[in-house]
């Protein structure tokens, strides 16, 4: 191997994607070792930006602790394992388990991405959480959904009606600069290409069952009290800036 190629393997770094900054999920791209199958990113669990009990009474401390420390950590571990297995498959030229690890990377990657966003688009009620969006975000919502009340009705209905485990989501679509309300199943299904999440509510049972049991609708209705609209607006701005 010539020296320039060797230097590439030792020093190559790739600028962080806009999505990484926008979500705030900690990750570090390591330089690729020769023969390793390519660079690996180490994903790590982000800290919660508030205490476990900060969202009470709307989301209880025990749910937040288990959700962040156990469920989200599980997706981080699963994503790291899947990406490592895919690199090992490339190194060996053995793709016998390609379907398994591709699916696992999508599921766990979706879980890590969406939970990293979820913690940040919430804040304690009355201290950054709740109320209504203002400024440009308020104008976009009125333009794209008719009114804030229309948006809330659409989003709430979508979140309540997700079949099984999933998410109510708001995406930003750079091609026409508008917001979309979507349903997501599991951590990765039903999402169209070409748009990015800027806001979402986790409606897996692990997100609400201790406090609300089977009453997902009450959890979704109460969630408006902890939405951090400033963060949602910042997520939209970050995507507009990177488009
Ligand atoms: Mn969850």
């Amino acid at each position: 191997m010539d020296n320039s190629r060797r230097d590439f393997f030792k020093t190559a770094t790739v600028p962080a994607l806009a999505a990484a900054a926008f979500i705030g999920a900690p990750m570090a791209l390591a330089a690729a070792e020769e023969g390793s199958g390519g660079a690996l990113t180490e994903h790590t669990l982000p800290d919660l930006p508030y205490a476990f009990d900060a969202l009470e009474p709307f989301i209880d401390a025990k749910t937040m602790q288990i959700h962040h420390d156990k469920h989200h950590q599980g997706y981080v571990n699963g994503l790291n394992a899947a990406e490592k297995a895919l690199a090992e498959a490339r190194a060996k030229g053995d793709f016998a388990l390609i379907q398994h690890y591709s699916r696992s990377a999508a599921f766990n990657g979706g879980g890590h991405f969406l939970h990293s966003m979820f913690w940040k688009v919430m804040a304690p009620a009355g201290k950054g959480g709740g109320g209504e969006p203002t400024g440009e975000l308020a104008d976009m919502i009125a333009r794209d959904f008719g009114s804030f009340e229309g948006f809330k009705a659409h989003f709430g209905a979508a979140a309540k009606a997700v079949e099984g485990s999933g998410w109510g989501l708001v995406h930003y679509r750079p091609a026409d600069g508008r917001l979309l309300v979507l349903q997501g199943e599991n951590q990765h299904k039903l999402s169209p290409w070409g748009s990015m999440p800027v806001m979402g509510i986790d409606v897996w049972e692990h997100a609400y069952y201790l406090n609300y049991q089977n009453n997902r609708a009450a959890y979704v209705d109460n969630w408006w009290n902890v939405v951090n609209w400033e963060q949602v607006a910042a997520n939209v701005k970050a995507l507009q800036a990177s488009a």
Side-chain angles (χ1 to χ4, degrees):
M1 182 191 317
D2 66 37
N3 278 338
S4 62
R5 181 143 181 265
R6 196 183 306 273
D7 287 346
F8 171 81
F9 278 110
K10 282 184 183 158
T11 61
T13 56
V14 176
L17 294 173
F22 131 81
I23 287 300
M27 60 179 76
L29 184 74
E33 296 294 324
E34 178 68 8
S36 67
L40 270 185
T41 291
E42 183 186 1
H43 302 277
T44 50
L45 184 68
D47 292 333
L48 273 187
Y50 36 70
F52 290 127
D53 64 358
L55 304 182
E56 290 192 348
F58 306 110
I59 304 179
D60 64 283
K62 189 74 178 168
T63 293
M64 289 297 291
Q65 182 177 8
I66 296 171
H67 199 175
H68 176 268
D69 290 1
K70 304 298 184 188
H71 290 280
H72 189 171
Q73 183 70 61
Y75 302 128
V76 171
N77 296 347
L79 176 58
N80 283 324
E83 290 188 348
K84 187 161 189 278
L86 289 166
E88 287 171 357
R90 289 191 294 274
K92 293 177 187 166
D94 177 1
F95 295 101
L97 294 176
I98 187 66
Q99 283 181 302
H100 170 75
Y101 286 117
S102 297
R103 191 209 63 83
S104 183
F107 174 80
N108 287 292
H112 179 38
F113 189 91
L114 289 176
H115 285 87
S116 297
M117 176 184 69
F118 183 53
W119 313 131
K120 290 183 74 171
V121 298
M122 297 188 292
K127 298 174 187 169
E132 296 190 9
T134 57
E136 286 175 43
L137 178 60
D139 293 342
M140 283 180 77
I141 287 172
R143 181 195 66 188
D144 296 343
F145 300 97
S147 65
F148 182 60
E149 288 310 311
F151 164 77
K152 277 182 75 174
H154 183 171
F155 182 87
K160 292 171 189 176
V162 170
E163 286 187 342
S165 299
W167 295 77
L169 294 166
V170 178
H171 277 213
Y172 175 73
R173 185 167 60 191
D176 57 359
R178 69 161 290 153
L179 300 171
L180 309 166
V181 167
L182 303 168
Q183 293 180 314
E185 288 185 358
N186 294 356
Q187 315 284 17
H188 58 308
K189 298 176 186 171
L190 297 187
S191 178
W193 307 119
S195 61
M196 288 279 286
V198 293
M199 168 181 167
I201 179 173
D202 187 337
V203 295
W204 286 55
E205 288 181 348
H206 67 224
Y208 62 88
Y209 219 79
L210 292 181
N211 210 11
Y212 294 92
Q213 288 82 52
N214 61 318
N215 196 353
R216 183 197 288 179
Y219 160 67
V220 172
D221 288 339
N222 277 338
W223 191 69
W224 297 110
N225 291 292
V226 295
V227 174
N228 180 348
W229 292 108
E230 269 192 37
Q231 181 64 54
V232 176
N235 291 344
V236 173
K237 277 221 175 307
L239 291 173
Q240 287 172 326
S242 68

